Amino acid sequence: MKKIGRNDPCPCGSGKKFKHCHLGKEDELTLEGMGEFSPEMGAEITTLPNVWYGRSQEMTDGLDIKQLTGVAAGVKFIDLNEYKGLPVFDQRGEGKEKEGSGGVFVNVLKTKTTDPDNLYIAISPEIGDSALMHQLAHLLDYLGGSKLMPGLAKPLSFDIGIPVEHIEHPHEFGYWLDYLQNKFDVQLDADDTIISYLYKNEMLIKGTDIEKQDKVILKSKSDRIMRFLSEKSTEIDAFIRELPGYIGSRVRKEGKEGKS
């Protein structure tokens, strides 16, 4: 991998130059975020066959990405298992896929050298509507929202001691999730229903706050989310109990992750 230049975009996906972001704090970046991937490594991804699992073609055909985000970019879907079999795959750098449904928004640093015109999402044949929409929301958020790359939040969340989900899903992500849910009439799973609920109640952290990486502000806003979830726990559990992916109280779940 090439050395990161001072004026290059920071690998964390913040949109800032490296010198204004993680220069001198490289240890906070995950392995996948460091430097540029070689054309040979990128080609291993971009030469994988395109797939159309679930409603992937219907949803992408129904989106005018340039009109929505101001960025002309295509979307290509590749098989998740084939992607996982490549040496460039690292679960730490991709974020957590939605269990049982299979979807990962591929780090753009991996593919921009060999295919700068397209963004890649790796999906499994059994991917559900909510999981697919979740990854498309990440893609739209990256292009025309917070502009943060998902999957690179773990070091920051660990350092602050807050759930990674609070950084992975900013306010702008919530906007796109809500937009897609209404456009394609999708039944959200339990996790995405909670994100949508937090978005509609103006509880999600905005991308500008995450970009600044002010630990005091992020901890305060994360604590605010946790208090809100605790206060609304009975109400939330009532409307997610019958949804796919329900595994019990999300307050207890997030509280444990925040302490890990």
Side-chain angles (χ1 to χ4, degrees):
M1 298 181 193
K2 299 178 182 178
K3 182 178 180 180
I4 311 169
R6 288 172 56 84
N7 292 311
D8 289 343
C10 186
C12 75
S14 68
K16 295 181 178 180
K17 291 182 179 180
F18 180 57
K19 65 183 179 182
H20 295 313
C21 195
H22 273 89
L23 180 62
K25 299 182 291 182
E26 290 86 350
D27 58 329
E28 294 181 6
L29 295 170
T30 64
L31 177 63
E32 289 286 26
M34 293 300 293
E36 298 231 353
F37 286 79
S38 69
E40 293 76 18
M41 296 172 75
E44 293 196 55
I45 301 172
T46 58
T47 57
L48 288 175
N50 294 343
V51 298
W52 295 113
Y53 299 148
R55 295 175 65 188
S56 56
Q57 184 167 16
E58 174 195 344
M59 288 188 182
T60 50
D61 286 348
L63 295 173
D64 187 332
I65 292 178
K66 184 175 182 179
Q67 183 180 42
L68 290 170
T69 68
V71 180
V75 182
K76 288 189 176 180
F77 294 93
I78 54 178
D79 183 87
L80 179 61
N81 286 328
E82 289 190 24
Y83 175 54
K84 281 184 172 183
L86 299 178
V88 295
F89 177 79
D90 186 330
Q91 186 71 23
R92 293 171 298 173
E94 299 295 350
K96 183 174 68 176
E97 66 195 64
K98 297 171 79 62
E99 294 184 6
S101 49
V104 168
F105 178 31
V106 178
N107 187 332
V108 297
L109 294 176
K110 295 180 178 182
T111 60
K112 70 175 185 178
T113 302
T114 51
D115 189 5
D117 297 326
N118 292 290
L119 301 178
Y120 284 74
I121 298 177
I123 57 177
S124 64
E126 67 274 12
I127 192 164
D129 291 353
S130 185
L132 176 61
M133 197 176 67
H134 186 98
Q135 300 307 324
L136 285 171
H138 273 309
L139 184 147
L140 292 171
D141 180 43
Y142 174 74
L143 292 175
S146 71
K147 302 188 185 301
L148 300 172
M149 170 58 61
L152 299 178
K154 283 187 177 180
L156 181 60
S157 68
F158 182 82
D159 187 33
I160 302 173
I162 64 177
V164 66
E165 286 84 359
H166 293 182
I167 302 177
E168 286 279 293
H169 304 122
H171 175 83
E172 296 84 354
F173 172 86
Y175 167 82
W176 288 116
L177 187 70
D178 190 60
Y179 171 84
L180 293 169
Q181 193 271 332
N182 289 322
K183 182 173 181 63
F184 296 112
D185 190 28
V186 170
Q187 172 65 70
L188 299 178
D189 65 17
D191 285 328
D192 282 341
T193 297
I194 293 174
I195 294 172
S196 178
Y197 183 74
L198 290 171
Y199 166 72
K200 291 173 181 176
N201 283 276
E202 297 288 334
M203 297 301 299
L204 295 177
I205 303 173
K206 292 187 177 180
T208 51
D209 289 325
I210 298 172
E211 182 181 350
K212 294 174 185 175
Q213 297 189 22
D214 187 308
K215 297 177 183 178
V216 175
I217 291 176
L218 292 177
K219 183 65 166 63
S220 174
K221 291 183 180 292
S222 176
D223 288 345
R224 178 171 172 258
I225 292 174
M226 295 303 295
R227 287 194 300 271
F228 180 81
L229 289 173
S230 179
E231 292 167 0
K232 302 290 185 178
S233 61
T234 301
E235 178 182 344
I236 292 172
D237 278 356
F239 62 69
I240 68 170
R241 189 175 299 276
E242 303 301 322
L243 296 178
Y246 177 77
I247 55 173
S249 171
R250 293 312 196 268
V251 177
R252 291 192 295 272
K253 174 175 175 288
E254 291 198 354
K256 290 179 181 178
E257 289 181 356
K259 296 176 182 177
S260 64

